[in-house]
Amino acid sequence: MVVDDRLGTTFAALSDPTRRAMVERLSRGPASVHGLTEPFALSQQMISKHIAYLVRARLVTKTKRGRESICTLRPQAIKTVSDWAISYRQFWEESFDKLDEVVKRMKKEEVRDDKQHGE
Amino acid sequence: MVVDDRLGTTFAALSDPTRRAMVERLSRGPASVHGLTEPFALSQQMISKHIAYLVRARLVTKTKRGRESICTLRPQAIKTVSDWAISYRQFWEESFDKLDEVVKRMKKEEVRDDKQHGE
DNA sequence: AAAATACACTACCATATGGTTGTGGATGAT
DNA sequence: ATCATCCACAACCATATGGTAGTGTATTTT
């Protein structure tokens, strides 16, 4: 990554299925590193690494509580992704509209064909 | 990437600023490889590589037309990203609501403090 | 105090990716 | 026919990342 490409860092963090699963897990409430390790059949070190990526992408915050580190999902970062995608909404809706038009035109052609068959 | 992690491939493709810029460019209409090379001060080979990633992520389709390759943005893939993010909408809205509550509570405290000051 | 738990840090390896350079193959223009 | 244009393919390098193994440290439990 060039220099502080925030959105890029976020997308990179979300490109891994383990990390997306972690995000899903954390969307249902905070969890300790240990808690995040259990469901994944991965080493604690690897989980810590993945968490580090999520933290770097500002998708997660980590706070010490005794000997545990509690991970919390940050809503803002995910909203950023949503906002990015939604900025193309007009594009894809136009595209789908055009597709609809094509479909409608094809149906008209069919109707015409039917009429021709009928006449 | 493990095996055919489609959403992961999409996120990975979008993690690069050059590729996101290409997506932005293509959202305003199809373009040739040459057309995509011009604005980016990158070698044609590199642009072709980037396009290959976008194609692999099904974000772009490429069709030969004479000696040119025309690249077209596919709306579906971007909608997939949007759908993923929106599936967490409830999470972040709840979070922001909680934040609102905290803010409101703090304001109430302030009011109480004011009263105490007043009495 | 001793043992167990939760986590971090380091070193190491294989692979994917960003990027360059060089080249070759079609297609279009002259 | 020749030359320029558009693009793909291959080799190469540096770095980031996924993953493992080993160890150290602080906190809890006993």
Side-chain angles (χ1 to χ4, degrees):
Chain A
M1 229 141 298
V2 197
V3 273
D4 198 36
D5 174 18
R6 281 214 192 178
L7 189 54
T9 309
T10 306
F11 277 129
L14 293 173
S15 69
D16 185 88
T18 302
R19 289 195 289 261
R20 285 201 306 284
M22 286 170 140
V23 166
E24 202 280 325
R25 165 69 189 79
L26 290 176
S27 74
R28 287 182 276 112
S32 66
V33 175
H34 181 70
L36 284 173
T37 305
E38 278 176 334
F40 289 116
L42 276 177
S43 66
Q44 170 257 315
Q45 291 92 324
M46 204 52 229
I47 296 290
S48 285
K49 265 198 186 180
H50 281 306
I51 293 175
Y53 291 131
L54 291 171
V55 169
R56 190 155 61 91
R58 295 164 210 273
L59 277 157
V60 165
T61 55
K62 234 170 52 175
T63 52
K64 269 265 173 190
R65 206 179 62 189
R67 67 180 164 184
E68 290 187 321
S69 273
I70 304 298
C71 302
T72 310
L73 188 59
R74 297 185 60 198
Q76 296 181 12
I78 296 184
K79 192 168 183 323
T80 303
V81 173
S82 175
D83 288 345
W84 179 88
I86 285 179
S87 74
Y88 290 101
R89 188 177 209 159
Q90 193 184 355
F91 161 70
W92 82 59
E93 280 181 354
E94 275 175 16
S95 305
F96 291 143
D97 285 352
K98 279 178 192 164
L99 198 65
D100 277 355
E101 276 178 36
V102 172
V103 172
K104 278 178 192 167
R105 212 174 304 153
M106 284 172 73
K107 283 189 178 170
K108 271 188 189 170
E109 302 285 332
E110 277 176 32
V111 173
R112 246 183 258 161
D113 286 354
D114 287 353
K115 277 187 183 172
Q116 281 176 2
H117 278 289
E119 277 165 336
Chain B
M1 230 140 301
V2 197
V3 272
D4 198 38
D5 174 19
R6 282 214 191 178
L7 189 54
T9 309
T10 305
F11 277 129
L14 293 173
S15 70
D16 184 88
T18 302
R19 289 195 290 259
R20 285 201 306 284
M22 287 170 139
V23 166
E24 202 281 324
R25 165 67 189 81
L26 290 176
S27 74
R28 286 182 276 113
S32 67
V33 175
H34 181 70
L36 283 173
T37 305
E38 278 178 332
F40 289 117
L42 275 178
S43 65
Q44 168 259 316
Q45 291 90 328
M46 204 54 229
I47 296 291
S48 286
K49 267 198 186 181
H50 280 306
I51 294 175
Y53 291 130
L54 291 172
V55 169
R56 190 154 63 90
R58 296 163 210 272
L59 277 158
V60 166
T61 55
K62 235 170 52 175
T63 51
K64 269 265 171 190
R65 206 179 61 190
R67 66 180 164 181
E68 291 187 323
S69 273
I70 305 298
C71 302
T72 311
L73 189 58
R74 297 185 59 198
Q76 297 182 10
I78 295 185
K79 192 169 182 320
T80 304
V81 174
S82 175
D83 288 344
W84 178 88
I86 285 180
S87 73
Y88 290 99
R89 188 178 210 158
Q90 192 184 355
F91 161 69
W92 82 58
E93 280 181 353
E94 274 176 15
S95 304
F96 290 144
D97 284 354
K98 279 179 192 164
L99 198 65
D100 277 356
E101 275 178 36
V102 172
V103 172
K104 279 177 191 167
R105 212 173 304 153
M106 284 172 72
K107 284 189 178 170
K108 271 189 190 171
E109 303 284 331
E110 277 176 30
V111 173
R112 245 183 257 161
D113 286 354
D114 287 353
K115 278 186 181 171
Q116 281 176 0
H117 279 289
E119 280 166 330

